[in-house]
Amino acid sequence: MEKIFDKLNESQANAVKQTEGPVLILAGAGSGKTTTIISRLAYLIEVLGIPASNTLTLTFTNKAAKEMKERSLKMIENVAYPPLLCTFHKFGLLFLKFNIHLLKRQNNFVVIDTDDKKRIIKKINNELPTPLIASEISRYKNSLLTPDDAYKQAELFNYKQIAEVYRDYEKYLNENNLVDFDDLIALTYKLLNDNPELAEATSKKYQYIMIDEYQDTNELQLKLIQKLCTTHNNICVVGDDDQSIYGWRGAHIRNIMEFHEDFPGTHVFKLEENYRSRSPILKVANALIEHNRSRLGKKLIATRGDGEDVTILNSNDENEEARKIALKIEKLLASGVSAAEIVVLYRVNVLSRSIEEGLNRSGIGYKLVGGLRFYDRAEVKDLISYIRVITNNHDDFSLKRIVNKPKRGLGKASVDKLELAAHAHGTSIYEYIKTADTATLESLVRKKNTVTLRQFIKDIEKVAIVATESTYEFIDVLEETFHLKDIYKGMQDEADRVLNIDEFYGLFRDFVKTQPESSLDEFLNELTLQSEQDQVEGESIYMMSIHASKGLEFEHVFIIGLEEGFLPLLGDGSDLEEERRLGYVSMTRAKDTLTLCHAGSRFYKGRRSELQKSRFFNETGLCQGSLTVEKNTAFKKGDLVRHKIFGTGRVTGVMKTGREFKLNINFAGTSRDILASFVERL
């Protein structure tokens, strides 16, 4: 008991002890959220005697899950099996491994990443923009729409085309036993929804559920959580409505705002004591977020005391800004500050260019988080494809990537012929090459290619045998057999590519050392679940978007682009309240110093533009900004709203009138002007 409670404040302790029924913990930035979660988990297991296997703790990033797992195991003793603490997607992966057979699918499926998804889509349709199709398919899956549903709903011809691509895409995934990221949640929910007995058994297994970063959940994740609570209501969610910044990718702030409606009888606890930031930083962040109307309300209280005032860095243009920031960073480094404790944040990725150039000129090393990820590099994707084919011979997608790497004399036309022939025979390309008679193969590809292809199959099978006997030796045999480093001989960036291959081999060996019982399938699926924040390690200045910084903290934070149009981002579809939350998140990353940067002009989209200071300067009380908004509205064009008398309608316009906002709303074809305070957003 003492070990659990000795480091908790009163609010945290009360939240930990409330184990029964729905619990909402509103945890402000830097308020000891993770400490509270793992203390609650330890309390359930160590004090109440709840079996660890009957608990489930879900979060959003591998980094957060890893930290929570390591810290919780230090607090929990004498458990036969550790509690399940993982990301939503990892939970879906584990659940599907045991239950996907109910969908008449094999459990040796492979999870494809975003790049794989786009390649498949491009093969099906290369006329419409691939990112648009990928985004729509993701939206369909998160809305639980089948391809037929999507087709019926589509009003425009292009969206009917997208629905048809969705149908072919789903067919391809099924035929190749693949699942994408969205499937990990959508198929899990489908299984629970279609099988009440399974939902009941799963809910009984996980009697105490905790969800981290609840403000980031979407509608489908809420439905999944409700299914997991089929037999009980012991659901504890931890989150911060003021840090809800993922509306653009489907996160729904209403999940945290209306948690008490989804789970009646909710106990609410507010964690407001901040253990991260100095008082001047919190003063500015609190002042900014108080301008939002749609919030549950709390105020961060500094426990670390006073510190340096927030600095405003005014520059004429982005080049002057870069020079000034580089100079400040040089001074910090010279004073002994660790490079890893300094970060430059921005709302729009393109703003990083000038800062990168400024740091390069000053000889300051930096790491750009969110750039080309290690696992997205061509040479690494090739290695992953080899392992995929070894674990699943029928993965045509991966086989086509590697069948001519190293070169085996096969052109695209030859590979296309093989694929058509394989499909005509109702088999995979691998199986077709292996079983077709020599004369048939030679009619599709040249004679010498037939010999090469047959040897390729033999080599795959040889390496596969090694994989089953010794996972550790597998990677060496893979290189010795296929000489993958030779693919890049003579290339300008050969050294870098070979270094990346060696890095991958090292990562594989490390995985086998730490998880000796794991299979190649599990290694592949762990890779696919990597996230942007997994890049944050080592000694360097960090540069990243505000979105990527969420959940991180640094001693010294520079925020650039505090101008109207950049932060806040303005225009059709933008949400001023979410922009304000982005500003709040960026400010509360800072522990000791915060520098807010503004440039009078920037070179953007091919021309130089004069800029106005962000209104956030005014709202934080630091200095005069471009605009003063006395009262903000939570509504924007396109929102679906409900009126007590007129029913459901869609906002078509937002206008300020005195100290109130007037909405133009289309109610089933009838347009009406209604004051914002008389409707609620759906």
Side-chain angles (χ1 to χ4, degrees), residues 33 59-60 211-217 238-240 550-551:
K33 167 178 66 78
T59 186
F60 279 85
I211 314 290
D212 186 24
E213 302 287 9
Y214 190 68
Q215 76 282 344
D216 294 339
T217 54
V238 186
D240 184 359
K550 189 167 169 294

Side-chain angles (χ1 to χ4, degrees), residues 432-501:
Y432 184 80
I433 295 169
K434 184 178 178 180
T435 58
D437 61 75
T438 303
T440 303
L441 268 183
E442 287 178 358
S443 69
L444 299 172
V445 298
R446 287 178 294 178
K447 186 174 181 179
K448 67 174 185 178
N449 295 146
T450 301
V451 175
T452 308
L453 282 171
R454 288 273 164 79
Q455 186 59 48
F456 172 64
I457 298 297
K458 285 179 184 175
D459 288 341
I460 290 284
E461 292 179 344
K462 179 184 86 173
V463 178
I465 291 168
V466 175
T468 59
E469 294 172 349
S470 171
T471 314
Y472 190 80
E473 291 178 13
F474 157 78
I475 208 76
D476 294 318
V477 176
L478 179 71
E479 178 58 33
E480 289 165 9
T481 305
F482 294 107
H483 307 289
L484 300 177
K485 292 180 186 177
D486 292 348
I487 297 172
Y488 308 101
K489 269 194 174 169
M491 288 190 180
Q492 192 174 3
D493 57 354
E494 177 186 349
D496 288 340
R497 289 179 182 264
V498 170
L499 278 174
N500 289 334
I501 291 172

Side-chain angles (χ1 to χ4, degrees), residues 264-281:
T266 295
H267 303 272
V268 180
F269 300 92
K270 293 184 181 181
L271 307 186
E272 297 176 301
E273 292 180 50
N274 176 285
Y275 299 95
R276 175 188 298 157
S277 307
R278 298 287 183 186
S279 179
I281 296 167

Side-chain angles (χ1 to χ4, degrees), residues 78 141 265 316 392 405 439 451 512 593 613:
N78 306 318
K141 290 194 177 190
N316 291 314
N392 176 13
K405 291 181 180 179
V451 175
V512 175
T593 71
K613 270 186 181 176

Side-chain angles (χ1 to χ4, degrees), residues 123 404 410-418:
K123 178 174 170 44
N404 203 40
L410 291 166
K412 184 179 183 299
S414 297
V415 176
D416 287 346
K417 285 179 189 175
L418 287 169

Side-chain angles (χ1 to χ4, degrees), residues 311-337:
T311 301
I312 298 173
L313 195 67
N314 292 312
S315 304
N316 291 314
D317 58 28
E318 72 275 17
N319 297 315
E320 182 183 329
E321 176 184 68
R323 285 195 300 273
K324 287 180 175 179
I325 289 174
L327 189 62
K328 280 182 166 288
I329 290 174
E330 282 180 335
K331 288 179 179 177
L332 287 171
L333 295 174
S335 71
V337 171

Side-chain angles (χ1 to χ4, degrees), residues 3 24 349-350 354 532:
K3 185 170 69 173
L24 169 60
N349 286 324
V350 73
S354 59
E532 274 190 357

